[in-house]
Amino acid sequence: MVGKILEMSPTRVVIKTASAEFVVDPAKIEKVERNVNIDPYADKQRFVEIRTKDRSRFRGTIKRADATTTFLQNSSGEIPIRNSDIDGIEYLDSDKARQADRVAARPPTWELSLKGGSMFYELGTYNNLLSPGYFGLLQIQYPHFSLPFGLRIAPGLQAGYIRNSGKSVSTTKIDLFPGFATVDISYQIADTRFDVFAQGLIGVNLTRVVATSPAERLSLDFAYGAELGGKFHISPLLNVSLAGIWLAVSESGATLNHVGAYASIGLMF
């Protein structure tokens, strides 16, 4: 607080700002600076977020305070909060507060994600084809339906490719994902920008294998898989995520399993 000290005693300190007089418990004071350059915003009723020790959060403007209680004013009225219950107070400008609200709401909207990472072949007929490959995935989701207990569900579509050259097999293998339907279930961690998610996918896989001979095989195979990871919302428009992925392709001879990990960036619009 910035203002004029009207009274100072072992039991209370009274400071007058441009908007009101505040009574403060001296035991709560960390430092007093005199003859400071006044912040033009400090003597206004600024928007704050009060965090309490039980992890509750309250937003509004501080109406008044005394040695035991802080009174917060918001759209629902005046809220008394015991000073001993307060864990922290953060000043928020209006733009930051609105952005935090939009992130917390995770409103139903379109999401376009671009993914990239490493993939390995494992198990099945090609269990010796273990060299890392690169894969790119493009996914679009809409909308994100809210469910009870902080859960959300979003249907979507995904497409991409894998290119992999085997270490012990002289084969270049290219897998194309012309179409996958996805279902994403996420859990929003309360009062944070983090989500954890699990996603199932099912569709078709176009496989093109080029061997050392001129022969080339092209097949359209049934495929399915799952992803598990976490997502961080940088802003209402942008997020990043890390996840592991498993994909099974049912080819004519055997089911070829892929495992890997990716990072992605998502755009909400």
Side-chain angles (χ1 to χ4, degrees):
M1 287 186 247
V2 177
K4 182 178 180 181
I5 295 176
L6 301 180
E7 178 186 337
M8 182 179 288
S9 73
T11 58
R12 69 183 215 152
V13 173
V14 180
I15 181 169
K16 179 178 176 59
T17 69
S19 57
E21 291 184 8
F22 294 88
V23 180
V24 182
D25 180 355
K28 303 291 186 182
I29 296 176
E30 182 178 8
K31 182 171 63 172
V32 177
E33 295 183 35
R34 299 181 183 274
N35 302 318
V36 299
N37 293 322
I38 295 179
D39 179 349
Y41 295 102
D43 57 355
K44 297 181 180 179
Q45 287 291 302
R46 296 171 63 187
F47 200 67
V48 301
E49 180 179 80
I50 297 180
R51 302 182 307 277
T52 56
K53 294 175 182 177
D54 64 357
R55 300 186 67 183
S56 299
R57 293 174 183 258
F58 303 91
R59 287 186 182 174
T61 56
I62 296 177
K63 187 70 175 178
R64 65 185 190 279
D66 56 34
T68 61
T69 308
T70 297
F71 296 87
L72 190 74
Q73 182 73 40
N74 62 20
S75 57
S76 60
E78 195 172 271
I79 303 173
I81 304 172
R82 292 182 61 84
N83 294 339
S84 59
D85 293 334
I86 294 176
D87 186 52
I89 299 177
E90 180 183 4
Y91 283 93
L92 302 173
D93 58 44
S94 57
D95 289 339
K96 181 179 178 182
R98 282 194 294 268
Q99 183 181 91
D101 286 339
R102 289 196 297 269
V103 169
R106 315 282 206 272
T109 185
W110 291 89
E111 179 177 353
L112 182 66
S113 301
L114 181 63
K115 308 176 181 180
S118 293
M119 186 75 85
F120 297 82
Y121 293 102
E122 196 166 80
L123 308 177
T125 304
Y126 301 99
N127 59 358
N128 56 353
L129 201 60
L130 296 176
S131 62
Y134 171 81
F135 69 98
L137 298 172
L138 185 67
Q139 179 171 353
I140 188 164
Q141 295 175 304
Y142 179 83
H144 293 70
F145 296 103
S146 295
L147 299 175
F149 309 110
L151 295 174
R152 302 176 68 82
I153 186 170
L157 295 173
Q158 188 176 106
Y161 77 95
I162 303 173
R163 177 181 172 87
N164 201 315
S165 298
K167 289 180 178 178
S168 58
V169 179
S170 57
T171 302
T172 297
K173 188 178 182 68
I174 300 177
D175 290 338
L176 299 176
F177 310 152
F180 273 81
T182 65
V183 177
D184 180 289
I185 298 178
S186 61
Y187 172 72
Q188 178 180 335
I189 301 176
D191 299 322
T192 73
R193 294 170 176 261
F194 288 96
D195 295 343
V196 292
F197 67 89
Q199 179 169 269
L201 55 157
I202 186 170
V204 292
N205 190 84
L206 182 63
T207 304
R208 174 176 175 263
V209 178
V210 181
T212 52
S213 65
E216 178 179 307
R217 180 169 62 84
L218 190 66
S219 64
L220 191 64
D221 306 306
F222 174 68
Y224 52 92
E227 300 176 12
L228 181 65
K231 180 180 294 185
F232 177 73
H233 292 262
I234 299 174
S235 75
L237 301 178
L238 194 66
N239 63 68
V240 293
S241 63
L242 291 172
I245 181 172
W246 159 69
L247 182 67
V249 180
S250 297
E251 299 187 8
S252 56
T255 297
L256 180 61
N257 288 273
H258 311 69
V259 292
Y262 69 82
S264 77
I265 183 167
L267 178 65
M268 315 291 289
F269 60 95

